[in-house]
């Protein structure tokens, strides 16, 4: 008994039973019905026409299968998507590493390191330092609505913080009270 993975596409999905009907790419005239979907596959990804990976535990028994993944179909345009509010992690990406003037500096996250334009927020790690004052503040967030604040209490002391930063139009703002320096890494986003 050999296990095998085959490609198919989704004909329909039943969220009540978490099963679907699929067509295998090599046999597009007959559907396989009531195929269980692995629980790690989000139901919002089960779009009609989306491609899927089907694991056959026994390649000679078509009833012994499970859908283990979905992905975009180049012909139908059906693109499985993350459920709203779900976090997608990306390889750590340095989006900002420079001096900050007094006031607002806009940083564009949408389109950077495959962050979709529709992302609602990004997961950031921020390092902040001020060499000219023992009291400096950096606010991070969408324009006019900071969600994270960092306060430097000593000259040349670096502060590190991780936070979730909401986006507005794919951007966020770093607002410095005093000329300072910041490094911002992005390691995920929320749809």
């Amino acid at each position: 008994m050999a296990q095998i993975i085959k490609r198919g596409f989704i004909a329909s999905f039943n969220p009540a039973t978490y099963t679907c009907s699929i067509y295998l790419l090599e046999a597009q005239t007959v559907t396989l019905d009531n195929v269980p979907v692995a629980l790690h596959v989000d139901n919002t990804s089960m779009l009609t026409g989306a491609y899927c990976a089907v694991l056959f535990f026994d390649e000679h028994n078509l009833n012994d299968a499970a859908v283990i993944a979905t992905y975009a179909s180049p012909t139908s345009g059906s693109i499985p998507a993350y459920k709203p509010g779900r976090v997608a992690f990306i390889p750590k990406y340095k989006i900002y590493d420079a001096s900050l003037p007094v006031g607002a500096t806009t940083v564009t996250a949408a389109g950077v390191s495959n962050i979709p334009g529709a992302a609602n927020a990004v997961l950031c790690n921020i390092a902040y330092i001020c060499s000219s004052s023992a009291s400096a503040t950096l606010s991070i967030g969408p324009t006019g609505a900071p969600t994270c604040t960092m306060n430097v209490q000593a000259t040349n002391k670096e502060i590190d913080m991780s936070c979730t930063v909401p986006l507005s139009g794919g951007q966020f703002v770093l607002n410095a009270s005093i000329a300072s320096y910041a490094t911002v890494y992005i390691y995920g986003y929320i749809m």
Side-chain angles (χ1 to χ4, degrees):
M1 176 167 82
Q3 295 176 353
I4 189 166
I5 296 175
K6 294 191 178 209
R7 291 187 313 160
F9 60 94
I10 298 167
S12 65
F13 173 67
N14 182 343
T17 61
Y18 227 72
T19 60
C20 64
S21 293
I22 59 169
Y23 290 100
L24 294 178
L25 289 184
E26 67 260 15
Q28 297 182 21
T29 56
V30 177
T31 62
L32 294 177
D33 297 318
N34 299 316
V35 178
V37 177
L39 296 178
H40 70 272
V41 178
D42 195 301
N43 63 354
T44 59
S45 299
M46 298 301 297
L47 302 173
T48 299
Y51 281 1
C52 61
V54 185
L55 172 63
F56 288 93
F57 298 100
D58 177 0
E59 67 180 312
H60 303 293
N61 182 357
L62 297 180
N63 293 322
D64 197 10
V67 172
I68 58 172
T70 61
Y71 53 100
S73 166
T75 55
S76 72
S78 297
I79 301 173
Y82 283 114
K83 193 174 196 170
R86 188 168 173 183
V87 175
F89 291 98
I90 60 172
K92 188 171 158 183
Y93 180 82
K94 189 186 298 182
I95 194 165
Y96 189 88
D97 187 27
S99 295
L100 285 169
V102 174
T105 301
T106 301
V107 179
T108 300
V112 174
S113 192
N114 294 322
I115 295 172
N120 293 318
V122 288
L123 306 176
C124 294
N125 181 269
I126 304 153
Y128 179 57
I129 190 168
C130 183
S131 59
S132 63
S133 174
S135 179
T137 301
L138 176 65
S139 299
I140 307 105
T143 304
T147 55
C148 304
T149 302
M150 301 174 77
N151 295 307
V152 171
Q153 301 295 321
T155 305
N156 290 324
K157 180 172 178 182
E158 182 178 298
I159 298 176
D160 292 307
M161 180 174 78
S162 292
C163 64
T164 302
V165 179
L167 298 177
S168 175
Q171 299 177 324
F172 63 93
V173 173
L174 301 171
N175 197 341
S177 66
I178 294 177
S180 46
Y181 196 90
T183 304
V184 181
Y185 289 95
I186 292 179
Y187 56 91
Y189 60 90
I190 300 173
M191 290 301 293

